Amino acid sequence: MNEIAILIIAHKNQTQLELLLSNLADDFDLYVHIDKTSAINKEELTAKYPNIRFYSKLHVVWGGYNLSACSLFLFQQAYKGNYKYYALISGQDLPLLSNEEIKNFIYKNDSSYIVSDKLPIKHWAYNGGINRYELYWEHDITGNSLWDTFRRKLIGNIRKIQLKYNTRRPFYKGMDVYGGSNWVLLRQDAMDYLISFIDENPRFMKRLKYCFCTDELWMQTILATSNCKIKNEHITHLDWGTGPEYPRTLRIEDYDNIRKKTCPFARKFDSEVDNEIIEKLLDSRNSSI
């Protein structure tokens, strides 16, 4: 039985996703959530990869609650397998190390990897991130009906009133809020703690609705003050500084810089933007096996 589960949140580029799956499937148990509105053919992938668990439960939009809910859903599904380690990545990630090297990295360090700092975070927008949860946001309303349009405008106006009169929403039970990357590696002790907390505090996730980008807040807040063995480090290399996208969609000119990184994974890649970097990284990775 594999001791490492890799959880993947995917929404586009089926061919690129299949490259990721085919490079990992032999050595890890994979749990893949495909966006409910995605053009990716879940039935085709299920037939092609019978040992991979595929789900298509939620529609995930940037900034909305469902990215947090999707992460938790995958954690809950994989937790049933009683693994020692759980890595959460996206369908636009690539492994930088061979599968054996990824395993060695995980076993040698024997720790959770969660980037987590107490808010306010100086370089974060929206009042150091505090406005993400103290104000109301409309990203969870994704429909195009007149009712949905009205609700979006209503919540936007409520936020303006909050800012004008400085009216804020307290966080769950007065907890200090921590934030960081949502792409993490959880050791079994951290996963036990996380799942237990959610089970014992069912209202916690509900508090995240009508907030903004809580995928970078929820598990970080729960685990930051635990006694679990955690390194405040990335398992996934990202470029937040170069642009033009944030994080940057990595291109062939980034190749040399990426190869210097020691993280097991890197993101984000898009075959529709630059497929050459994907092919070159995977060729380099597989040539070392």
Side-chain angles (χ1 to χ4, degrees):
M1 175 182 172
N2 287 325
E3 296 182 329
I4 302 171
I6 297 182
L7 290 51
I8 302 170
I9 299 176
H11 72 284
K12 61 182 292 187
N13 294 358
Q14 180 168 336
T15 300
Q16 181 179 333
L17 174 62
E18 289 195 48
L19 279 175
L20 177 62
L21 301 181
S22 62
N23 275 271
L24 296 174
D26 287 344
D27 296 288
F28 306 99
D29 284 358
L30 305 184
Y31 293 75
V32 183
H33 183 278
I34 298 169
D35 194 275
K36 195 173 182 179
T37 64
S38 174
I40 295 173
N41 190 322
K42 176 175 170 283
E43 289 71 26
E44 182 179 311
L45 291 180
T46 301
K48 189 178 292 188
Y49 302 97
N51 294 326
I52 297 177
R53 286 97 166 165
F54 291 98
Y55 309 90
S56 188
K57 180 181 175 67
L58 300 166
H59 173 41
V60 176
V61 296
W62 180 81
Y65 165 78
N66 272 356
L67 186 49
S68 301
C70 185
S71 302
L72 175 58
F73 172 77
L74 283 176
F75 284 148
Q76 290 171 327
Q77 297 307 308
Y79 188 65
K80 298 172 186 177
N82 195 32
Y83 298 94
K84 289 188 175 180
Y85 305 93
Y86 305 77
L88 179 65
I89 65 175
S90 90
Q92 290 186 266
D93 282 28
L94 287 179
L96 298 184
L97 308 177
S98 70
N99 290 351
E100 192 62 30
E101 288 170 332
I102 292 173
K103 289 181 178 181
N104 290 340
F105 174 95
I106 291 173
Y107 287 130
K108 179 181 178 181
N109 291 287
D110 189 31
S111 177
S112 296
Y113 279 69
I114 309 169
V115 174
S116 181
D117 296 295
K118 188 176 178 179
L119 269 60
I121 297 174
K122 186 176 181 180
H123 62 274
W124 276 21
Y126 304 114
N127 193 25
I130 291 175
N131 286 358
R132 292 189 183 195
Y133 63 90
E134 286 192 343
L135 302 181
Y136 283 93
W137 298 84
E138 64 273 19
H139 294 73
D140 290 324
I141 304 171
T142 59
N144 295 315
S145 67
L146 289 175
W147 173 238
D148 287 332
T149 301
F150 169 76
R151 291 166 66 208
R152 279 193 291 270
K153 289 183 179 179
L154 176 63
I155 292 177
N157 287 329
I158 290 174
R159 186 169 64 255
K160 291 177 182 178
I161 293 171
Q162 284 185 285
L163 289 168
K164 182 177 180 179
Y165 295 102
N166 195 31
T167 57
R168 303 289 172 146
R169 295 196 285 166
F171 197 63
Y172 184 77
K173 292 184 178 179
M175 294 175 70
D176 289 330
V177 181
Y178 290 75
S181 174
N182 57 316
W183 311 114
V184 299
L185 171 68
L186 298 186
R187 201 175 72 158
Q188 191 171 32
D189 61 333
M191 183 63 79
D192 289 341
Y193 187 95
L194 184 72
I195 297 298
S196 294
F197 180 92
I198 294 297
D199 288 345
E200 295 166 7
N201 296 271
R203 293 179 59 237
F204 178 85
M205 294 302 289
K206 293 180 181 178
R207 173 58 182 85
L208 303 181
K209 291 187 176 181
Y210 305 109
C211 295
F212 176 61
C213 285
T214 58
D215 56 291
E216 297 179 336
L217 302 177
W218 74 278
M219 71 179 108
Q220 298 81 358
T221 296
I222 293 171
L223 291 169
T225 55
S226 73
N227 292 322
C228 302
K229 184 180 178 183
I230 296 174
K231 290 189 176 183
N232 193 355
E233 299 175 18
H234 291 277
I235 64 157
T236 302
H237 164 66
L238 304 99
D239 180 350
W240 282 101
T242 305
E245 311 87 6
Y246 298 94
R248 173 178 168 82
T249 299
L250 299 168
R251 296 161 170 84
I252 192 62
E253 56 265 31
D254 301 303
Y255 176 81
D256 289 339
N257 183 47
I258 296 170
R259 291 304 301 164
K260 296 176 185 176
K261 304 302 177 182
T262 58
C263 296
F265 303 96
R267 77 177 305 266
K268 61 183 178 179
F269 300 90
D270 190 332
S271 59
E272 296 175 0
V273 174
D274 190 333
N275 194 53
E276 184 181 1
I277 182 64
I278 296 173
E279 293 179 346
K280 189 170 182 177
L281 276 172
L282 290 178
D283 285 346
S284 174
R285 169 188 184 267
N286 293 329
S287 66
S288 66
I289 297 176

